[in-house]
DNA sequence: TATGAAAGACCGCTCCC
DNA sequence: GGGAGCGGTCTTTCATA
């Protein structure tokens, strides 16, 4: 089940579910001109294969007051401090994503904050306060024109 | 309804729905020691307020064969080429996110590819082929230790 | 005003074709 | 892959604190 090859129907189902995970199977079936049972079988198959990991609600961070999105490239003093630093970053609720990367930075994180002031506080008092961090570089996101998932 | 302030119950509901958007309201109600009707009212309110934007399935890009995740910082020859470049990037299915940022790069994108070879093809034949792009800098993600949404 | 309980409609799951 | 029946869930309404 590891490398289950999806076909066009699976692809269409994925696209529809990406848009709305709670769409009734019957409606989906009607749109795709197949029966509801078929939809069910395909979805089950993709769940079994691990392609569909689960369902999530899409939250508007903005409506919750989190207006500022930015990326921070982090350089560590020693590469061996990586696991420790991740643990510390994980404890910060403002850090929503972290990546261990090759290239200019050791760690690359995405941070959501309520305001520029809030960002400054997080950056100075929380992130740069971590001993193992040598330097940081901040990229503030002004717009997010593309945001989607990859479905071949 | 713009700035609806969520309370602890709303927060708990959001957390539960983030984990599994299809959890029965009855079960959620039981876990939170309230009635299913109350859950329904709260969810409706948050939908109205735009806090809940919709539901999505979580897809495993890896299972679909997309193993390589990387970030690419892009510098444009002219800032005015921004909208055009976004349009061109949007046409590339491998580009899953794009940000207009302050700092070292004009545009910052996230790219998912099937392999390093595939990445190379996309980078050279598709991204660097865009005229307005002056230079790029690639950060390949080796690990993604933190990945979540911000819920205060 | 917000919550809790119950009834009806709808949907999803399963079996058989 | 298609179609029908059963079981479960969601939604709505009404009463209540």
């Amino acid at each position: 089940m590891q490398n289950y090859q999806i076909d066009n129907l699976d692809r269409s189902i994925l696209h529809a579910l990406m848009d709305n995970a709670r769409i009734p199977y019957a409606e989906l079936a009607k749109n795709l001109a197949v029966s509801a049972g078929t939809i069910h079988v395909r979805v089950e198959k993709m769940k079994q294969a691990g392609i569909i990991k689960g369902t999530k609600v899409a939250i508007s961070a903005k409506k919750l007051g989190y207006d500022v999105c930015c990326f921070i490239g982090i350089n560590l003093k020693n590469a061996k401090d990586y696991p420790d630093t991740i643990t510390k970053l994980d404890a910060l609720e403002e850090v929503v994503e972290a990546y261990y990367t090759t290239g200019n930075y050791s760690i690359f994180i995405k941070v959501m904050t309520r305001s520029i002031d809030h960002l400054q506080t997080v950056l100075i008092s929380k992130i740069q306060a971590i001993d193992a961090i040598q330097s940081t570089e901040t990229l503030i996101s002004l717009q997010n024109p593309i945001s989607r998932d990859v479905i071949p």
Side-chain angles (χ1 to χ4, degrees), chain A:
Chain A
M1 284 287 194
Q2 188 92 359
N3 284 329
Y4 169 66
Q5 283 298 318
I6 66 172
D7 64 10
N8 283 329
L9 180 56
D10 294 320
R11 223 185 307 282
S12 301
I13 293 172
L14 282 181
H15 276 286
L17 291 179
M18 282 302 310
D19 197 49
N20 175 13
R22 291 192 102 145
I23 184 174
Y25 285 8
E27 194 178 331
L28 194 49
K30 201 183 64 186
N31 295 344
L32 300 174
V34 294
S35 81
T38 303
I39 300 288
H40 184 251
V41 170
R42 296 304 189 100
V43 171
E44 253 344 277
K45 249 191 213 168
M46 290 192 283
K47 273 188 194 162
Q48 288 302 317
I51 293 172
I52 294 178
K53 288 191 294 187
T55 58
K56 289 206 244 177
V57 289
I59 307 281
S60 168
K62 207 165 185 169
K63 295 278 180 178
L64 288 173
Y66 282 74
D67 263 341
V68 178
C69 165
C70 77
F71 291 92
I72 301 176
I74 296 174
N75 284 304
L76 297 176
K77 290 176 187 162
N78 291 297
K80 70 171 172 54
D81 293 328
Y82 168 72
D84 245 34
T85 308
I86 290 296
T87 305
K88 284 175 184 162
L89 289 171
D90 196 24
L92 306 180
E93 67 169 25
E94 292 89 352
V95 177
V96 293
E97 294 173 25
Y99 301 87
Y100 179 47
T101 57
T102 68
N104 280 352
Y105 315 109
S106 315
I107 300 174
F108 197 70
I109 62 175
K110 181 175 174 179
V111 173
M112 301 286 306
T113 58
R114 298 183 168 280
S115 62
I116 294 289
D117 276 357
H118 183 193
L119 170 59
Q120 199 174 331
T121 307
V122 171
L123 189 57
I124 296 179
S125 310
K126 296 186 178 176
I127 294 174
Q128 291 177 347
I130 298 174
D131 264 346
I133 293 179
Q134 184 180 57
S135 63
T136 63
E137 212 163 89
T138 306
L139 288 74
I140 296 176
S141 166
L142 304 175
Q143 267 185 44
N144 181 12
I146 303 175
S147 185
R148 62 188 171 206
D149 274 274
V150 61
I151 304 178

